[in-house]
Amino acid sequence: MRAEEGAKEPLWWQQGVIYQIYPRSFRDSNGDGIGDLPGILERLDYLAQMVTVDAIWLSPIFPSPMVDFGYDVSDYTDIDPVFGTLHDFDVLLTGVHDRGLRLIIDFVPNHTSDQHPWFKESRSSRNSSKRDWYIWRDPKPDGTPPNNWLSIFGGDAWEWDEATGQYYLHTFVKEQPDLNWRNPEVKSAMFDVLRFWLDRGVDGFRIDVAHFIMKDPALRDNPPNPALGAREIPAHAWESQQHIHNFGHPDVHGVYREVRRLLDEYGNERPRVSIGEIHEFNWPIWVSYYGKQLDELHMPFNFALLNVVWSAAAVRAIVEAVEDVVRIGAWPNYVLGNHDTHRLASRVGAAQARVALMLVLTLRGTPTMYYGEELGMKDVIIPPELVQDPFEKNVPGLGLGRDPERTPMQWSASANAGFSATDVAPWLPIADDFKTINVESELEDPSSTLDLVRRLLELRRSTLALHSGTYQSIEVEEPDCYVYRREADGRRFVVALNFSAEPKTVSLPESGRGTVRVSTHLDSDGEVDLRRLGLRPNEGCVVEVQDSDSRE
Ligand code: GLC
Ligand code: CA
């Protein structure tokens, strides 16, 4: 039996907080306007000692033509020169481990770049030994694509190859051909990629569009989206179909059972983690990615908070749905932002962003934070001539582009917000608010979002009830407030969140008094009466219940 099995101690990825770095935008050490690995190394102390996160997830750093900014990989086992070298990677990994942090890297299994040698070989002829590594099909008799599948990034999912007279499948841009995971050689080559990085010492993988790798083997047409009227044409054509055949085929579970076995082998040394990017909002299907025997992914990302209409009732409903489906013993997780979603502070506003941070940092489950979220960074409006994202270029004007949430990290009030070592224009513009929303200023300001995050993380880390205790919703009369209890080892906490811009009072069944441990508002009273707990506009507070003897 492995050491961690049966042990009560939660594993590092259960207890800790994951911080996502979008490497192009974190810190540019050599002044070319693009973030890089030595830049991340320079800022590890910020992550370890100031924000105090536990693990870092790096979006792709591998050689890539950068059509999709690294999610189009042309070599899985090297580093793109724009980010540095394999040596820089090793130095970074050592730096991460020396500080007691963990490093999770991105694994992109669904597709390669069209510049990957595998694809170049595959497209060279119909008889190529790698032809079947990708998904090639003849046209229909009338010359049109083999089925009606669409690319998420606009247009058909099929690209015609004149030279060999067939179409290939690409779920994303045409420069991202989909691999054929039904071919055992592909699977084995991709497992070698996992081994390469595990041997180098990474602590786990974030698996890009993990559920996409297995499609209907018969490549049947998708039916129309039943939510739309017959003649309704959605602005983003992708919405016109019900995507039942182009991803999420049940065969995907077998692959992740094998991935899990591989990680478990390495786990004898120290536990490694697999986190799947799974956009699935049907809870029973979502939870199936943990595996019936909890033998698949350690966690499918839970993206429900990214799309929720921000209200106490809707957020509570999500948490309760998650708590309900993970009863099988799975470990929950919550995501507030990432490189594909408009920033938290732009979605819910600056004041509620603080409430949201308090929420995920006090729920049961692993929180993932997106770089800059701890500062309250917002989306940046990108003028058309500066647009970088292929999604925005292909499907313009619908607000689908992802550049706004990918702008440079705001380190200080100096030139380029301290992102770049020189004053060269960064690859995306710096936000206008960088003079006030930046690390240096916020570290000195006890009312800053960074300070709030630091206080919440300190409390979470030192409090078993908050990182690993039980969760229980508490009924309150006030519809704009969401209140819950976290408890372990005789310590009991109440988290009360006011989702409105009005003062509210909640009466809690907890009798007696409590002590405010953290509030989103600085000047909060230490002692409070839980029978009449007053919350200021947009206030959240974590209260430790004093008379734990009165527990029901
Ligand atoms: C995932 C990534 C996204 C990328 C896409 C294609 O959704 O998060 O950034 O464009 O996969 O790889
Ligand atoms: Ca650089």
Side-chain angles (χ1 to χ4, degrees):
M1 186 169 83
R2 297 199 315 274
E4 71 267 22
E5 273 177 11
K8 267 204 172 149
E9 265 298 276
L11 299 176
W12 63 268
W13 54 267
Q14 298 176 312
Q15 188 170 346
V17 174
I18 300 171
Y19 184 96
Q20 179 191 357
I21 290 180
Y22 193 68
R24 294 181 75 82
S25 301
F26 198 59
R27 162 75 187 159
D28 168 24
S29 71
N30 62 352
D32 63 357
I34 302 175
D36 44 55
L37 298 183
I40 297 170
L41 181 70
E42 285 175 22
R43 299 301 151 100
L44 283 184
D45 286 334
Y46 167 70
L47 298 176
Q49 289 160 25
M50 297 179 197
V51 195
T52 69
V53 299
D54 302 275
I56 298 167
W57 149 37
L58 295 182
S59 281
I61 47 178
F62 319 108
S64 164
M66 302 290 169
V67 176
D68 192 20
F69 298 106
Y71 284 98
D72 47 328
V73 180
S74 55
D75 179 353
Y76 285 103
T77 55
D78 204 348
I79 303 293
D80 193 280
V82 84
F83 297 125
T85 61
L86 268 178
H87 175 71
D88 293 328
F89 178 83
D90 291 338
V91 173
L92 178 66
L93 183 57
T94 306
V96 166
H97 286 161
D98 284 351
R99 287 166 179 81
L101 305 181
R102 310 288 175 139
L103 190 68
I104 296 167
I105 61 168
D106 224 297
F107 178 56
V108 187
N110 180 67
H111 43 267
T112 68
S113 159
D114 64 347
Q115 298 306 304
H116 195 294
W118 298 343
F119 187 70
K120 287 188 176 170
E121 169 59 43
S122 182
R123 86 183 308 172
S124 67
S125 112
R126 285 198 188 204
N127 305 320
S128 155
S129 61
K130 292 203 166 48
R131 186 66 167 181
D132 185 50
W133 280 41
Y134 293 83
I135 301 172
W136 291 95
R137 287 293 183 282
D138 288 334
K140 284 192 181 151
D142 66 357
T144 57
N147 68 19
N148 72 353
W149 294 358
L150 298 169
S151 156
I152 295 183
F153 289 164
D156 283 336
W158 295 95
E159 180 70 8
W160 176 247
D161 182 58
E162 193 60 57
T164 59
Q166 282 191 313
Y167 284 97
Y168 67 84
L169 181 72
H170 60 91
T171 301
F172 296 89
V173 290
K174 66 180 192 316
E175 292 86 354
Q176 288 168 304
D178 283 31
L179 281 164
N180 175 18
W181 272 79
R182 295 186 182 277
N183 180 327
E185 290 176 14
V186 167
K187 197 171 81 184
S188 132
M190 291 302 274
F191 273 61
D192 284 346
V193 171
L194 293 173
R195 284 191 195 91
F196 175 89
W197 293 106
L198 288 164
D199 288 337
R200 257 193 142 79
V202 303
D203 299 289
F205 301 96
R206 174 271 187 184
I207 304 177
D208 191 62
V209 287
H211 52 331
F212 273 74
I213 61 173
M214 281 292 181
K215 307 138 207 303
D216 175 28
L219 304 183
R220 279 170 288 180
D221 275 355
N222 279 324
N225 179 352
L228 296 176
R231 266 195 280 275
E232 204 175 329
I233 301 172
H236 183 204
W238 174 260
E239 311 289 344
S240 68
Q241 296 181 358
Q242 205 182 349
H243 296 280
I244 58 172
H245 292 313
N246 48 337
F247 61 81
H249 188 275
D251 291 344
V252 75
H253 295 285
V255 177
Y256 290 118
R257 276 195 289 277
E258 283 184 58
V259 168
R260 179 62 173 266
R261 280 202 290 276
L262 177 68
L263 294 189
D264 283 350
E265 282 168 30
Y266 282 85
N268 288 329
E269 205 179 318
R270 65 173 190 281
R272 318 286 172 112
V273 71
S274 53
I275 310 174
E277 185 206 9
I278 309 244
H279 293 269
E280 176 57 68
F281 300 95
N282 173 316
W283 293 113
I285 299 179
W286 175 78
V287 82
S288 73
Y289 287 93
Y290 288 93
K292 284 205 183 74
Q293 313 294 326
L294 298 181
D295 55 354
E296 297 180 26
L297 295 170
H298 292 91
M299 296 188 289
F301 264 141
N302 166 13
F303 294 134
L305 292 176
L306 298 179
N307 311 318
V308 68
V309 178
W310 194 250
S311 74
V315 170
R316 172 179 170 175
I318 287 172
V319 175
E320 288 177 355
V322 172
E323 283 288 331
D324 194 40
V325 289
V326 299
R327 270 176 219 287
I328 53 168
W331 184 251
N333 75 89
Y334 295 90
V335 177
L336 282 180
N338 61 33
H339 64 294
D340 295 327
T341 315
H342 292 308
R343 282 195 176 269
L344 173 67
S346 296
R347 298 197 319 267
V348 304
Q352 281 297 315
R354 296 166 66 95
V355 172
L357 285 161
M358 177 171 281
L359 169 81
V360 298
L361 298 180
T362 57
L363 281 176
R364 196 178 81 93
T366 305
T368 301
M369 297 178 59
Y370 183 51
Y371 83 94
E373 211 162 76
E374 76 278 22
L375 306 176
M377 269 177 68
K378 297 194 196 77
D379 280 354
V380 176
I381 296 168
I382 309 293
E385 67 278 11
L386 294 182
V387 166
Q388 304 282 337
D389 184 13
F391 199 0
E392 180 66 36
K393 289 180 181 169
N394 293 351
V395 192
L398 300 177
L400 297 171
R402 300 162 298 173
D403 296 328
E405 61 264 22
R406 296 177 176 179
T407 61
M409 175 71 171
Q410 292 158 218
W411 293 103
S412 72
S414 55
N416 274 338
F419 162 69
S420 204
T422 62
D423 56 9
V424 67
W427 78 288
L428 281 174
I430 308 273
D432 289 342
D433 62 11
F434 79 96
K435 292 245 150 106
T436 46
I437 307 284
N438 68 64
V439 171
E440 227 170 76
S441 323
E442 294 198 26
L443 279 176
E444 276 160 24
D445 176 4
S447 72
S448 68
T449 300
L450 179 54
D451 200 81
L452 171 67
V453 167
R454 280 153 58 88
R455 284 180 284 133
L456 284 167
L457 283 176
E458 193 188 320
L459 181 67
R460 180 186 176 92
R461 193 175 28 258
S462 59
T463 312
L464 185 74
L466 290 180
H467 63 71
S468 309
T470 57
Y471 165 90
Q472 182 75 52
S473 305
I474 300 178
E475 294 302 331
V476 289
E477 298 276 292
E478 181 46 69
D480 284 327
C481 295
Y482 169 32
V483 185
Y484 50 92
R485 177 162 55 220
R486 301 293 317 279
E487 190 168 358
D489 260 6
R491 283 181 81 188
R492 183 190 238 193
F493 291 79
V494 163
V495 181
L497 307 172
N498 180 358
F499 281 65
S500 80
E502 308 291 329
K504 299 286 171 184
T505 300
V506 288
S507 327
L508 306 181
E510 315 276 339
S511 57
R513 306 192 66 78
T515 310
V516 178
R517 294 289 177 219
V518 178
S519 161
T520 49
H521 292 41
L522 258 194
D523 54 334
S524 74
D525 300 336
E527 290 254 314
V528 285
D529 181 354
L530 287 166
R531 285 163 305 184
R532 261 192 77 74
L533 177 63
L535 294 169
R536 284 164 285 182
N538 303 304
E539 183 174 26
C541 58
V542 186
V543 182
E544 180 159 12
V545 180
Q546 281 172 5
D547 53 340
S548 22
D549 287 336
S550 66
R551 211 172 319 159
E552 319 80 309

